[in-house]
Amino acid sequence: MENYIANNRAEVIGIVRDELELSHEIYGESFYTFTLEIPRLSGISDNVKVMVSDRLLADMPLSVGDLVEIDGQFRSYNSYENGDNRLVLTVFAKDIRRAEKTEDKNPNSLYLNGFICKPPVYRTTPFGREITDLLLAVNRSYNKSDYIPVIAWGRNARFCKSINVGDNIKIWGRIQSRVYQKHISEDEVVEKTAYEVSVSRMEMA
C-alpha cells in the first residue's frame, strides 16, 4: 500500500471556491467534491476538483473562501454522461487542514511514477514552442490504475521522443486547468475545462 501511495503524491494549497457537493457513498462513508482555486506565480489560478471524505471533515467543516492545504493523490475515474464516456480528474484528499498565507511553500506540487500507455505526441505550437502530450498510467491499490494526461515543454518535450509505450518514468510538476471551447454543432459552442499535469522535471525510472 505504501508503494502505491509513493507513486502518486499531490500537495496543493488554495481557496475553496464552491459549496461541497455529494459525490457518492460507500460502506457508510460519504465523499464530497469541491473546487479549489490554486494560485500560479503568473497571477492567474488553476481551478482543480478535490474529493474529500466526510470523516476528514468531521472536526473541520469547510466554507467558501477558506484557505486549505491538502495532501493526497491525483486520481482519475470514468464518468458516463449523456452516452459519453469522459475521464474525470480530481485530487483525492488524504489529509486536509487550515493553511496560513505563506510565500515560501509551493502551492501546487505533484509527483507521479507511472508507465507510458499511449504513444507520445510531439508537436510545435504556432509560436514555435515544443510540446509533447503523454498519457501516464499510475498504479493504485486493489489492482486499479489512474490515467493522467501529461504535457511536457521544451527540452522535456524533446526528451519524450526517446520514450515508448510501456516505459516507466517519474514526473515532477503541477496540476493545471485549461478552459477550452467545444463545438457541439455549427451553431452551438460549449465551454469546458481540461485538467492535466505540466511537467517541470522528468526522468526514466
Side-chain angles (χ1 to χ4, degrees):
M1 185 75 74
E2 290 180 358
N3 288 337
Y4 292 125
I5 293 174
N7 285 346
N8 186 335
R9 297 195 303 270
E11 299 176 4
V12 292
I13 302 173
I15 297 172
V16 178
R17 277 304 175 212
D18 52 20
E19 300 288 347
L20 273 67
E21 180 178 343
L22 179 64
S23 170
H24 63 281
E25 297 180 359
I26 183 169
Y27 302 122
E29 187 174 6
S30 298
F31 292 88
Y32 293 86
T33 59
F34 65 91
T35 303
L36 189 72
E37 182 183 322
I38 307 171
R40 291 191 198 177
L41 292 176
S42 62
I44 63 175
S45 298
D46 293 295
N47 293 298
V48 176
K49 284 292 183 184
V50 174
M51 182 175 292
V52 60
S53 166
D54 60 347
R55 298 179 185 180
L56 287 179
L57 301 174
D59 298 321
M60 199 192 76
L62 287 183
S63 301
V64 175
D66 286 348
L67 180 66
V68 296
E69 183 172 355
I70 296 169
D71 297 331
Q73 296 179 312
F74 197 39
R75 291 187 178 182
S76 70
Y77 65 92
N78 287 317
S79 175
Y80 297 91
E81 296 180 3
N82 302 320
D84 291 332
N85 180 21
R86 66 187 185 95
L87 190 69
V88 178
L89 296 161
T90 63
V91 173
F92 185 84
K94 298 283 189 179
D95 185 44
I96 184 168
R97 54 195 174 274
R98 305 287 182 194
E100 299 292 336
K101 289 188 177 181
T102 176
E103 302 295 333
D104 60 356
K105 190 166 187 179
N106 185 351
N108 189 340
S109 176
L110 181 70
Y111 166 77
L112 299 172
N113 182 340
F115 298 85
I116 301 297
C117 55
K118 286 179 66 175
V121 178
Y122 172 86
R123 65 188 191 279
T124 56
T125 70
F127 296 101
R129 294 190 67 188
E130 295 172 289
I131 181 173
T132 298
D133 297 307
L134 306 168
L135 187 64
L136 196 67
V138 182
N139 291 334
R140 203 200 307 169
S141 54
Y142 307 110
N143 295 318
K144 294 184 178 181
S145 295
D146 294 296
Y147 295 90
I148 312 296
V150 174
I151 289 181
W153 299 87
R155 60 187 177 83
N156 287 324
R158 290 194 296 275
F159 171 79
C160 291
K161 290 182 178 180
S162 64
I163 62 179
N164 302 291
V165 172
D167 285 348
N168 185 194
I169 63 171
K170 298 178 181 179
I171 287 173
W172 291 261
R174 63 177 175 81
I175 304 166
Q176 69 179 23
S177 61
R178 174 173 49 85
V179 177
Y180 67 97
Q181 292 184 331
K182 182 176 181 178
H183 291 266
I184 304 300
S185 65
E186 289 186 2
D187 303 320
E188 185 180 3
V189 178
V190 295
E191 192 172 88
K192 292 181 173 289
T193 303
Y195 302 95
E196 58 215 1
V197 175
S198 179
V199 174
S200 58
R201 175 186 159 205
M202 62 193 311
E203 64 184 40
M204 300 296 292

